[in-house]
Amino acid sequence: AQSVTQLGSHVSVSEGALVLLRCNYSSSVPPYLFWYVQYPNQGLQLLLKYTSAATLVKGINGFEAEFKKSETSFHLTKPSAHMSDAAEYFCAVSFSSGGSYIPTFGRGTSLIVHP
Amino acid sequence: KAGVTQTPRYLIKTRGQQVTLSCSPISGHRSVSWYQQTPGQGLQFLFEYFSETQRNKGNFPGRFSGRQFSNSRSEMNVSTLELGDSALYLCASSPPGTGVGELFFGEGSRLTVL
């Protein structure tokens, strides 16, 4: 069965510092991987996705993630944090079921950005 | 292009009542999924509809049901509400042809059960 583990329910960084949000997955088949962001009182928005093309994936708002098969990881990074990056981030892995792909989400990591 | 629209945004019910939530997907999206989000359990998959057929179902009791109409709009219903049903219910639609689970979410319907 596929699963996702996000290490750290909260990550705190200073504005301008590197952002690193960790995600490890478990999948018996090549996975499709996603990062979503959720701002307060809003739904989730897709940041980026890995679909077996380039292992380094660039997304919106300056975020990127690298797929490392040997480490079963898909960590999210951003070189310099902005106050506006404060939000909840979710890693997800999707698998085929009944003719469609159903994402399974991690528990989320709350990113706190200090001035 | 308009995003996924969910109504109502907020609602309060009492135990034992039932509730219906509505979702209009992005134009052209035929797949609609529903998720329940709570602080304790995170995001949990409820069900997915495609062309008016339930294609996948999560591990929820039969009190949770849904349907999809010919215009791809979807509704979910929760009967005999329990306190534990208090949650943010998120609807998401998927674009045709991607086939890998990319979701476009609405802002959710926040249900409070008293």
Side-chain angles (χ1 to χ4, degrees):
Chain A
Q2 282 75 6
S3 65
V4 172
T5 301
Q6 291 185 240
L7 300 176
S9 58
H10 295 83
V11 169
S12 182
V13 300
S14 298
E15 192 173 20
L18 172 71
V19 175
L20 171 60
L21 304 182
R22 300 178 186 273
C23 172
N24 288 88
Y25 68 91
S26 171
S27 176
S28 57
V29 296
Y32 296 108
L33 296 159
F34 308 83
W35 276 100
Y36 287 84
V37 61
Q38 184 178 33
Y39 298 100
N41 298 315
Q42 293 188 25
L44 280 72
Q45 178 185 6
L46 181 68
L47 273 177
L48 49 81
K49 63 181 178 181
Y50 168 76
T51 58
S52 75
T55 57
L56 182 62
V57 181
K58 294 186 183 299
I60 62 172
N61 302 339
F63 285 93
E64 63 181 37
E66 185 172 9
F67 172 68
K68 292 186 176 181
K69 184 177 179 180
S70 61
E71 299 177 9
T72 61
S73 69
F74 191 58
H75 302 331
L76 181 71
T77 61
K78 182 174 180 178
S80 176
H82 293 264
M83 296 295 292
S84 60
D85 294 328
E88 190 86 13
Y89 291 80
F90 294 89
C91 182
V93 60
S94 73
F95 59 95
S96 178
S97 175
S100 61
Y101 286 79
I102 305 300
T104 297
F105 288 84
R107 296 301 299 270
T109 298
S110 178
L111 177 63
I112 302 161
V113 182
H114 297 285
Chain B
K1 187 184 267 191
V4 176
T5 304
Q6 292 188 245
T7 57
R9 288 291 314 278
Y10 302 91
L11 65 167
I12 300 173
K13 295 286 187 178
T14 58
R15 280 180 299 175
Q17 287 186 311
Q18 66 93 27
V19 66
T20 298
L21 309 177
S22 180
C23 172
S24 293
I26 293 172
S27 177
H29 290 194
R30 294 167 60 192
S31 170
V32 174
S33 300
W34 289 88
Y35 284 81
Q36 180 195 64
Q37 186 179 25
T38 60
Q41 299 297 320
L43 279 154
Q44 292 189 289
F45 172 72
L46 280 158
F47 25 66
E48 184 223 4
Y49 287 87
F50 181 82
S51 293
E52 303 179 65
T53 301
Q54 187 180 86
R55 199 157 59 169
N56 288 284
K57 188 178 190 302
N59 188 26
F60 277 81
R63 300 186 296 109
F64 292 81
S65 63
R67 58 178 176 169
Q68 187 180 34
F69 303 95
S70 59
N71 61 359
S72 294
R73 191 177 70 84
S74 178
E75 289 182 346
M76 68 163 284
N77 183 277
V78 188
S79 62
T80 319
L81 284 166
E82 301 176 359
L83 295 179
D85 297 333
S86 294
L88 181 67
Y89 290 88
L90 291 164
C91 170
S93 66
S94 299
T98 59
V100 298
E102 177 179 344
L103 299 175
F104 291 77
F105 284 85
E107 293 188 313
S109 293
R110 185 167 295 280
L111 171 65
T112 301
V113 182
L114 302 176

